[in-house]
Amino acid sequence: MTLFPLFANLDGRLVVVVGGGLVAERKVTALLKAGARVRVGARAFTTTLRQLAASEAISLSTGEFQPEWLQGAWFIIAATNNRDTNRRIAALAEEARCFINVVDDPELCTVQMPAIVDRSPLMIAVSSSGNAPVLATRVRERLEALLDESLGVLTALAGKHRHTIRRLRPGQPQRRQFYDWLLDGPVAAALRMRQPTQAEQLLERELEHDTSSPLGKVTLVGAGPGDPGLITLKALHALNTADVILYDRLVSTQIRALARRDAAQVSVGKTPGENHDATQKRIHSLMLHHARAGRHVVRLKGGDAFIFGRGGEELEFLRANGVQYEVVPGITAAIACAAYAGVPLTHRQYAQSVRFITAHSATESDALDWHSLAAAKQTLAFYMGVSQIRQLAGQLISHGRSGDTPFALIENGTRSDQRTLTGCLRDLPGIVAESCPKAPSMLIVGEVAAFANTLHWFAARTEQREALVARE
Ligand code: SAH
């Protein structure tokens, strides 16, 4: 079951709570805070509930449950300790098309109460859809720790100036920029220091600034290899402040899901076989178009933008066109795949250097200096299309690298479907023909690759092949 999250306006609306114990009392307190009119029905009531009734904050119905109690309710909460009564109330609510929450009984609920972080008027609700309320509570605790108390005051301040902000920052991008500044800048800082007057002055002063010629910019962001846990805090910030995201094919959907909801996401991925130069031109013109319109463009690339990502060309283009830019590095596939496969890329005994090599096409691999690549005591990390793999092994061996040299081939590195194949160079073509690895795959060649057999820790177990290099 997927629940639809919403926040209800109960101001002045009747809510009926059945049950007069401590649980009911807690619900009543929350309902009164939201301005609801509350009627409580039960055989007996806590002292607090009786006091509330005495001060006319709520009304009471005393005795056995009566269906009439529910009349006129917008929302019902059943908090009796009798499951049959709760069930009856739930059935009546259903009949009256009225939402109901039955305390501790998700099956009878048409509405569930979330765990909340209250920074009124900012309110954060967390729900596990009834699966694990304890987990929702844990998440709530973490958010409590993360969000400063002053966030509520900041939200109220933004609310107070909302219309002025709208008037003085009519364009979406400028308005977003203003809110970013509000959340990250001196106003929030002043509020954290409990200086509300100064905060408000700062806000008003900033609003008077002229922003008639908006300045867009491009942030070139490395999204890493796939696991969303591997993006940097700066990348996350960029995704949260972007107006437009131009993303490559290799960027995982989980990472794109971290972006600000209303950022436009445009796929600009290059697919094999298509004209890459035309695609690159399109990317350039999209960046320019959006930046000139004052937007924050995030150019999101798999791994790191400066490793086989044409990031350099994009910056040259932006510079030539006077567009402001920033670069956020990402974890490149070789580093990430090695880590997730248990392969240390360098090792005091086996490898003093590591090389990142690309060989996506036959022309690219023809141009490689195979002689130097075949030298011992170095690790080779190949960024390549799977069709190139066979030929790579042959070239290395014919230029003098031992056929016993271990390799690790990591498919879908860092993703839940990661698979690692290991063996020695001589057997590589056969293993590839048999196991049919798919793109994206990373080939690591060198003595260190054998560690994948012993140090692996993530996802599918390494498929070990015979003829591993002898180790003393
Ligand atoms: N800029 C990227 C590389 C782009 S080239 C980076 O820094 O990682 C694309 C190649 O990277 C793919 O053909 C594949 O060899 C490798 N690659 C990218 N992501 C990968 C992943 N999750 N697992 C294995 N290989 C990957």
Side-chain angles (χ1 to χ4, degrees):
M1 181 185 31
T2 309
L3 296 180
F4 185 77
L6 49 81
F7 288 87
N9 177 357
L10 294 178
D11 194 38
R13 303 208 157 90
L14 178 67
V15 178
V16 174
V17 178
V18 186
L22 280 175
V23 179
E25 180 186 306
R26 239 180 289 137
K27 304 291 178 194
V28 168
T29 316
L31 288 166
L32 288 176
K33 205 171 161 209
R37 275 195 301 129
V38 182
R39 178 193 300 153
V40 186
R43 257 176 287 173
F45 303 94
T46 64
T47 318
T48 308
L49 286 173
R50 271 185 272 117
Q51 281 165 351
L52 283 171
S55 65
E56 292 184 356
I58 62 175
S59 65
L60 301 182
S61 309
T62 315
E64 290 302 316
F65 169 69
Q66 304 294 329
E68 295 80 62
W69 291 357
L70 307 180
Q71 211 120 68
W74 284 77
F75 175 40
I76 298 164
I77 296 180
T80 79
N81 46 20
N82 182 325
R83 186 139 207 262
D84 287 336
T85 311
N86 283 347
R87 204 188 294 273
R88 226 179 113 212
I89 300 169
L92 287 165
E94 180 83 29
E95 211 172 282
R97 299 272 189 280
C98 183
F99 280 118
I100 180 163
N101 176 264
V102 181
V103 174
D104 285 338
D105 200 338
E107 271 168 41
L108 293 181
C109 288
T110 47
V111 165
Q112 292 183 5
M113 301 288 214
I116 63 166
V117 182
D118 187 353
R119 297 285 184 278
S120 291
L122 183 79
M123 188 76 84
I124 299 166
V126 185
S127 158
S128 69
S129 304
N131 289 292
V134 178
L135 275 189
T137 309
R138 288 291 303 274
V139 171
R140 183 192 71 82
E141 280 165 12
R142 286 189 195 178
L143 291 174
E144 281 283 4
L146 213 61
L147 302 172
D148 193 83
E149 286 293 335
S150 65
L151 209 54
V153 191
L154 182 65
T155 314
L157 189 63
K160 179 174 167 196
H161 291 273
R162 188 164 162 216
H163 294 294
T164 324
I165 296 171
R166 233 177 202 290
R167 187 165 49 80
L168 295 175
R169 297 286 186 281
Q172 256 285 359
Q174 296 105 297
R175 199 150 64 236
R176 273 206 46 77
Q177 245 168 32
F178 181 79
Y179 280 112
D180 286 342
W181 172 85
L182 194 63
L183 202 64
D184 299 329
V187 173
L191 289 177
R192 278 196 298 275
M193 293 181 273
R194 307 295 186 259
Q195 297 168 338
T197 318
Q198 203 198 347
E200 188 151 13
Q201 281 166 357
L202 283 164
L203 184 146
E204 281 162 0
R205 208 179 314 149
E206 178 72 15
L207 268 178
E208 280 152 21
H209 271 178
D210 181 23
T211 54
S212 45
S213 58
L215 268 187
K217 66 167 181 181
V218 175
T219 312
L220 189 57
V221 176
D227 178 347
L230 292 179
I231 69 166
T232 61
L233 291 175
K234 279 209 160 186
L236 187 61
H237 183 70
L239 287 172
N240 277 312
T241 53
D243 297 305
V244 182
I245 296 170
L246 306 176
Y247 67 92
D248 277 355
R249 199 167 48 88
L250 276 177
V251 175
S252 73
T253 43
Q254 292 103 306
I255 285 176
R256 290 200 291 115
L258 297 173
R260 192 167 72 82
R261 280 275 172 102
D262 43 352
Q265 299 204 10
V266 185
S267 161
V268 293
K270 304 182 184 87
T271 40
E274 154 205 40
N275 181 343
H276 287 193
D277 288 328
T279 319
Q280 194 63 41
K281 279 213 183 90
R282 177 169 164 253
I283 294 170
H284 288 178
S285 73
L286 278 171
M287 289 194 298
L288 191 60
H289 167 76
H290 289 298
R292 288 211 167 137
R295 303 190 182 107
H296 178 201
V297 181
V298 164
R299 173 73 181 104
L300 192 61
K301 288 165 175 285
D304 180 84
F306 282 177
I307 303 283
F308 309 132
R310 296 184 82 158
E313 286 168 49
E314 292 179 12
L315 290 201
E316 281 177 305
F317 172 82
L318 294 173
R319 187 179 148 78
N321 286 280
V323 176
Q324 204 196 332
Y325 56 76
E326 222 180 292
V327 184
V328 178
I331 298 185
T332 190
I335 305 270
C337 291
Y340 276 53
V343 174
L345 288 174
T346 67
H347 189 286
R348 279 201 296 175
Q349 220 172 329
Y350 305 110
Q352 273 73 49
S353 69
V354 52
R355 294 172 76 169
F356 295 171
I357 306 139
T358 184
H360 272 99
S361 64
T363 27
E364 269 174 355
S365 62
D366 278 350
L368 293 173
D369 177 2
W370 290 105
H371 192 69
S372 82
L373 290 177
K377 290 228 161 191
Q378 60 171 335
T379 306
L380 309 178
F382 286 100
Y383 293 69
M384 29 101 250
V386 257
S387 56
Q388 303 304 314
I389 299 177
R390 264 166 211 254
Q391 201 210 344
L392 296 182
Q395 288 278 25
L396 286 172
I397 295 174
S398 68
H399 285 83
R401 192 104 191 210
S402 161
D404 291 332
T405 311
F407 77 83
L409 182 66
I410 301 120
E411 177 190 75
N412 283 318
T414 81
R415 302 172 189 226
S416 56
D417 51 356
Q418 172 176 313
R419 179 168 73 135
T420 308
L421 303 169
T422 57
C424 70
L425 217 42
R426 186 185 306 110
D427 301 330
L428 180 57
I431 290 171
V432 166
E434 195 182 304
S435 310
C436 303
K438 291 181 198 60
S441 283
M442 163 68 46
L443 177 67
I444 300 176
V445 176
E447 281 65 22
V448 291
F451 280 107
N453 297 313
T454 48
L455 299 184
H456 75 267
W457 56 274
F458 181 78
R461 220 182 146 77
T462 301
E463 294 174 28
Q464 188 169 355
R465 305 286 160 162
E466 72 271 20
L468 293 174
V469 75
R471 273 257 165 72
E472 54 275 58

